Amino acid sequence: MQISVCFCDKMSAFLTWNSKPSQMIIRRLLFMTFGFLASFFAGHSQPIAALFDAEDGIVVARQLLLDHQKIGDWRTARDNKYGGTGDFNNDGLTDIILTSDWGIGLLTCEEGKWKCLAAQKNGFGIGEYAFNSATDEIRGICDLDGDGKDELVAYNNWGVGILQWNEGVINVIYAAPDGTDFNGWKLRVDQDRVLGTGDTDGDKKEDLVLSSNWGIGILRYKNGKLDNLAMAPNGTTFDKNITFTTFKFKGIGAGDFDGDGLTEFIVAGDEAILFLRFHNFLIESVISIRKGTTIENFREVNPAEDKIELIADLDGNLRDDFIIKGFSDMGYIKRSQDGFKSFTKFMAGTRAGEKRIAMEDRVIGAGDFNGDRIMDIVLGGEMGLNILTEEGGIVNSLGSTQFPGNIGDWQMEATDDIVTIGQFGKAGDYCILVRKSQ
């Protein structure tokens, strides 16, 4: 065998051979090269997220999102960070927030196709505020101005910014530096946490319910800026003799539990669960569940052990309900005339479809998967997913899947992140968004 290599002026090499063994070596090198390129490009087209639905008792994949997929001006990547969901263009569909080192993108799935609503490079802003995906944290998503489109509330070390989508562009419509006094509520970016959002005062605009080391407050967006609607400092007494502090009580969420069109919000401690509301420019308690309280058709509740895992309209009466989960059972709870009562209860080990319900499973969220206008719940755990529907106090499975397992072109694994539930494709069409772990 004779192999000779010569270098030209441009540092390129020419390989010549005059024997069969050398030809075999070259063929193997070419084969390995093409194999590497095939694996490389195949890896870049692997699914990194998918939408799942229930059909005929099984979970099916509706739409895949691929790695390095070009969607409008946004290119997906497995290391994209998920920032939440909202309806940013008022079309009734759920839109997804993604961020990367480059910037921020808003994606939606419309009629079976992914679509980019906006892709914005870091650095856009107003005044001294500039959005940076590396430092900004989206803590609130709600319709602050009542136009039907959700805004994003982003915090960074400088302060807070309100971001709004408009005709394919994300604009910053308001910003305030750390320490700004909102008529009594002082902005503290290192402390402020959004407990929930909703229309607390009946003006058809959603407000921010915040907590800090000082206490809790409700901020509204009015006349182009944030303003304090009401606040309650630590040490405030609720429901006659329950002393509230943000160190002992944690925010759970918000909802309209009595059907009056106004949002209440829940905070929970070891001794009590408080339902609070805005009234007469004050934050006041509506009702509480104290340690030892017996909920009708359920049992005695211990707030230190029992957790509220979901707030949604679970019986279709246009009032929000909630799920309490303990060590061995789970209850669907609703407001009654004089307190609370359970309309569904099931124990650990209850069979629903092909799976038994485990209290270790996480209540991921709710959506109407069978079109009966009643929210079904999704449980997820180490063994798989289960979509549960309730009727007449009985829980049945609309579809389930085991980990690991193939669902179409998606390899379902226990490490997959079950991100959220939303209306994708068309209004009323609920799906589960799942992504591969980073």
Side-chain angles (χ1 to χ4, degrees):
M1 181 179 70
Q2 176 187 352
I3 299 178
S4 60
V5 181
C6 64
F7 294 91
C8 68
D9 294 339
K10 295 183 179 180
M11 300 299 291
S12 61
F14 300 92
L15 187 63
T16 62
W17 69 92
N18 57 15
S19 68
K20 290 184 179 180
S22 61
Q23 293 178 21
M24 292 177 63
I25 292 173
I26 297 300
R27 289 193 185 101
R28 288 178 180 176
L29 288 173
L30 291 173
F31 179 80
M32 291 171 61
T33 300
F34 285 122
F36 169 78
L37 291 174
S39 299
F40 176 81
F41 287 111
H44 278 61
S45 61
Q46 291 296 311
I48 57 173
L51 297 174
F52 295 94
D53 194 3
E55 183 177 286
D56 298 328
I58 61 173
V59 175
V60 295
R62 292 298 187 197
Q63 192 70 26
L64 299 178
L65 188 65
L66 304 179
D67 193 11
H68 290 265
Q69 182 176 347
K70 190 74 163 58
I71 304 173
D73 293 328
W74 186 264
R75 185 176 293 277
T76 64
R78 185 161 179 165
D79 61 357
N80 284 168
K81 294 181 175 61
Y82 168 76
T85 60
D87 181 4
F88 304 110
N89 58 351
N90 194 24
D91 65 352
L93 300 181
T94 301
D95 310 315
I96 306 168
I97 305 168
L98 295 177
T99 62
S100 69
D101 293 339
W102 177 84
I104 183 172
L106 304 179
L107 300 187
T108 191
C109 187
E110 186 176 318
E111 299 296 335
K113 293 183 179 180
W114 291 105
K115 178 181 177 182
C116 178
L117 297 179
Q120 205 91 354
K121 186 178 180 180
N122 287 331
F124 66 95
I126 184 174
E128 297 182 41
Y129 172 82
F131 179 84
N132 185 338
S133 59
T135 57
D136 279 65
E137 179 186 357
I138 298 170
R139 299 183 188 174
I141 303 170
C142 60
D143 182 10
L144 290 168
D145 57 6
D147 65 351
K149 299 186 296 184
D150 286 330
E151 283 77 41
L152 292 73
V153 182
Y155 283 74
N156 62 25
N157 292 334
W158 179 85
V160 63
I162 298 177
L163 284 59
Q164 184 183 71
W165 178 92
N166 187 36
E167 299 299 330
V169 178
I170 302 173
N171 298 306
V172 179
I173 60 173
Y174 174 78
D178 189 27
T180 298
D181 191 329
F182 298 120
N183 193 26
W185 179 269
K186 182 166 286 190
L187 176 67
R188 293 298 186 197
V189 298
D190 61 334
Q191 298 179 15
D192 288 0
R193 293 292 178 269
V194 178
L195 302 184
T197 63
D199 182 6
T200 63
D201 59 353
D203 65 353
K204 309 303 180 183
K205 301 176 183 179
E206 293 186 313
D207 311 308
L208 298 168
V209 182
L210 304 177
S211 74
S212 73
N213 293 346
W214 179 88
I216 54 175
I218 303 174
L219 296 187
R220 62 180 174 180
Y221 183 70
K222 185 177 180 180
N223 298 326
K225 62 180 182 179
L226 287 174
D227 188 26
N228 172 37
L229 193 60
M231 54 188 183
N234 286 334
T236 299
T237 299
F238 290 119
D239 199 17
K240 298 179 181 178
N241 59 358
I242 300 175
T243 302
F244 170 85
T245 74
T246 53
F247 301 103
K248 293 184 178 180
F249 286 80
K250 304 300 180 184
I252 303 299
D256 180 10
F257 303 99
D258 55 11
D260 65 353
L262 301 178
T263 298
E264 301 105 38
F265 50 101
I266 305 174
V267 294
D270 289 345
E271 298 298 321
I273 301 171
L274 290 170
F275 291 73
L276 306 178
R277 69 175 180 179
F278 167 80
H279 184 67
N280 290 334
F281 298 99
L282 297 172
I283 295 175
E284 65 176 22
S285 60
V286 181
I287 195 171
S288 67
I289 302 175
R290 296 171 183 256
K291 183 176 181 179
T293 298
T294 298
I295 294 179
E296 183 181 349
N297 300 330
F298 189 51
R299 58 168 171 78
E300 189 175 287
V301 174
N302 181 357
E305 299 176 351
D306 297 318
K307 306 301 178 185
I308 296 178
E309 292 211 351
L310 177 71
I311 298 172
D313 180 7
L314 299 171
D315 59 1
N317 68 347
L318 302 182
R319 299 182 181 186
D320 284 318
D321 314 300
F322 55 94
I323 288 179
I324 287 184
K325 190 172 75 172
F327 293 125
S328 60
D329 60 0
M330 186 184 302
Y332 290 42
I333 313 297
K334 66 188 302 180
R335 278 289 305 271
S336 61
Q337 187 172 0
D338 55 354
F340 297 92
K341 68 178 181 179
S342 172
F343 57 95
T344 299
K345 175 184 176 180
F346 48 88
M347 306 298 293
T350 299
R351 180 172 288 280
E354 297 181 356
K355 291 175 61 65
R356 292 188 181 276
I357 298 172
M359 292 302 114
E360 294 81 11
D361 290 347
R362 180 168 60 97
V363 182
I364 296 163
D368 180 10
F369 291 92
N370 58 358
D372 63 356
R373 298 185 179 182
I374 297 176
M375 290 296 188
D376 313 302
I377 71 169
V378 179
L379 298 182
E382 294 182 357
M383 300 304 295
L385 287 174
N386 204 356
I387 303 174
L388 303 181
T389 188
E390 185 275 340
E391 185 176 1
I394 299 174
V395 175
N396 292 305
S397 175
L398 294 175
S400 64
T401 183
Q402 300 286 336
F403 295 154
N406 290 325
I407 304 177
D409 292 328
W410 182 271
Q411 174 67 35
M412 186 72 79
E413 300 169 315
T415 55
D416 290 348
D417 295 329
I418 305 168
V419 179
T420 190
I421 298 169
Q423 298 183 68
F424 299 97
K426 60 182 179 180
D429 187 7
Y430 284 86
C431 289
I432 306 166
L433 176 63
V434 179
R435 65 174 296 175
K436 289 298 179 184
S437 59
Q438 295 182 355

